[in-house]
Amino acid sequence: MKKEKKQQDKIKKVKKYDKGQIFVKVMAGILALLMVIATASTLMYSLMI
């Protein structure tokens, strides 16, 4: 009985997502994308001159 309950608790913890963690990951992705775009645009600008 106790083993089944512990397994169910582990399953619940795995499926549970924290809103803060999701927000941080989305913001990190957006910032990484902006860095790549800025680097590419700087490189293109420097090659055009």
Side-chain angles (χ1 to χ4, degrees), residues 20-46:
Q21 288 178 341
I22 294 172
F23 176 75
V24 168
K25 289 182 181 181
V26 169
M27 288 301 293
I30 291 170
L31 290 174
L33 182 64
L34 286 174
M35 286 191 294
V36 169
I37 291 171
T39 304
S41 62
T42 303
L43 180 63
M44 290 183 347
Y45 178 75
S46 66

Side-chain angles (χ1 to χ4, degrees), residues 8-24:
Q8 289 176 352
D9 289 342
K10 287 182 183 179
I11 292 170
K12 287 181 183 178
K13 288 181 183 178
V14 171
K15 290 183 179 180
K16 185 178 179 182
Y17 292 106
D18 187 21
K19 291 180 183 177
Q21 288 178 341
I22 294 172
F23 176 75
V24 168

